[in-house]
Amino acid sequence: MLGSGSTEILQSGNQHLFAYRRQLDQQSVLCVVNFSEAPQPFTSLPASSWQDELTATRYQAPTITLQPYQVLWLTPAS
């Protein structure tokens, strides 16, 4: 899915985080990248429960704290 489809750059509300959404048909993934050497909060989550597709870790909204240089590929958890 990340190789094709559309890309939407999102406002993360944090200058150290880069967030974007990749979408193809009815599937989408929310990608968040921390470019800082310090943990950073991401507070722009619309759903309440998310799963990182890279690690299978589950997160609860509204805030996720990304560790230094962490990358998340988030999908709504079922």
Side-chain angles (χ1 to χ4, degrees):
M1 176 168 54
L2 292 176
S4 58
S6 63
T7 301
E8 176 187 6
I9 306 300
L10 305 172
Q11 296 295 321
S12 71
N14 182 324
Q15 67 179 356
H16 301 288
L17 300 179
F18 179 64
Y20 61 98
R21 179 179 293 115
R22 295 284 295 160
Q23 185 160 348
L24 179 63
D25 299 324
Q26 298 302 320
Q27 297 180 325
S28 70
V29 62
L30 173 62
C31 304
V32 186
V33 183
N34 181 2
F35 285 98
S36 171
E37 60 187 27
Q40 298 294 325
F42 181 63
T43 59
S44 301
L45 292 171
S48 61
S49 184
W50 295 85
Q51 179 170 314
D52 178 23
E53 295 300 319
L54 299 173
T55 65
T57 303
R58 289 183 177 254
Y59 296 93
Q60 294 297 316
T63 301
I64 291 176
T65 300
L66 281 81
Q67 296 306 307
Y69 307 108
Q70 185 176 14
V71 175
L72 298 175
W73 289 1
L74 300 170
T75 57
S78 45

